[in-house]
Amino acid sequence: MTERGVRVRQREETRRALLGESRRLFTERGYGAVSLAEIVGAAGVTKGALYHHFDGKEELFRAVLEDVQQEVGRRVAEAAGAHEDSWDQLVFGCREFLAATTAPGIQRIMLVDGPAVLGWTAWRAMDEASSARHLTEALTVLVDEGVVPAQPVAPLAHLLSGAMNEAALWLATSTDPADLEHTTAALDRMLDALRAA
């Protein structure tokens, strides 16, 4: 491997270490309780190395949040992709979104600290760029197939996305394990109401 290749690999390893340790610490204690010194110590790098990759703690958190959102997106896509029928893809994708967001690390980073650290507008923009786009695509297919009555898709996607995000935020504060099952059942009933007669 060339010297340049070694440096590129080292930079990638440093970035992965920073993201991995940040995610672990943010999950365990929350954004506000974690210092940059703790992060670089856990990752085994210097503050200079951190600042080579990120402008500061908030930018590092944003990168961690993007990773978490991509992970949730992959889980939703896999759950949806396991089904051939477009309707089943929507239903199982939405169910997986709720299930994925009950994982403690995902809850803390994506639902609790995300809006608080980045602000509601920035957090919504990130959500829009990830999961909301896939939801819009799925609903567009269903409208085109006539499974969902013809209508503008954007309002429907925003309403459904908002309902699921609100349910996920509520589940993040819930202490009753049965709440996920009840919320999933309510989601199924809400989705069924969208179908053409």
Side-chain angles (χ1 to χ4, degrees):
M1 183 177 282
T2 66
E3 183 179 332
R4 183 178 183 283
V6 169
R7 283 196 310 270
V8 168
R9 192 187 79 229
Q10 288 172 336
R11 279 195 300 270
E12 289 171 357
E13 288 172 0
T14 298
R15 189 174 198 284
R16 276 196 304 272
L18 285 165
L19 289 172
E21 291 303 322
S22 296
R23 180 171 178 171
R24 181 182 63 79
L25 290 167
F26 292 151
T27 296
E28 290 173 0
R29 302 202 345 256
Y31 176 86
V34 177
S35 70
L36 283 179
E38 290 176 279
I39 292 169
V40 297
V45 302
T46 64
K47 275 194 178 178
L50 181 142
Y51 285 115
H52 177 76
H53 293 277
F54 305 101
D55 287 340
K57 186 175 162 186
E58 186 176 314
E59 186 180 333
L60 176 58
F61 177 80
R62 182 184 296 271
V64 170
L65 175 57
E66 286 173 356
D67 283 352
V68 168
Q69 287 180 320
Q70 288 172 5
E71 177 186 321
V72 171
R74 282 191 300 274
R75 287 181 59 174
V76 168
E78 287 173 14
H83 301 274
E84 302 239 349
D85 179 74
S86 300
W87 179 257
D88 289 341
Q89 289 175 352
L90 174 71
V91 170
F92 285 94
C94 289
R95 286 179 182 174
E96 184 57 32
F97 174 81
L98 288 181
T101 59
T102 62
I106 290 172
Q107 280 183 343
R108 168 79 82 154
I109 291 167
M110 193 167 104
L111 302 172
V112 177
D113 284 347
V117 172
L118 301 179
W120 185 253
T121 302
W123 181 81
R124 282 293 300 141
M126 290 178 72
D127 178 64
E128 184 83 24
S130 58
S131 61
R133 179 174 50 86
H134 297 298
L135 182 58
T136 299
E137 291 168 0
L139 289 168
T140 299
V141 168
L142 290 167
V143 168
D144 290 346
E145 292 177 350
V147 176
V148 171
Q151 61 189 289
V153 171
L156 182 59
H158 279 85
L159 284 167
L160 187 52
S161 176
M164 288 192 299
N165 279 332
E166 185 60 32
L169 288 164
W170 175 70
L171 287 169
T173 62
S174 168
T175 57
D176 186 348
D179 282 341
L180 175 60
E181 179 184 339
H182 298 312
T183 303
T184 302
L187 173 66
D188 286 350
R189 289 189 296 273
M190 187 171 75
L191 291 173
D192 281 342
L194 299 177
R195 295 186 83 159

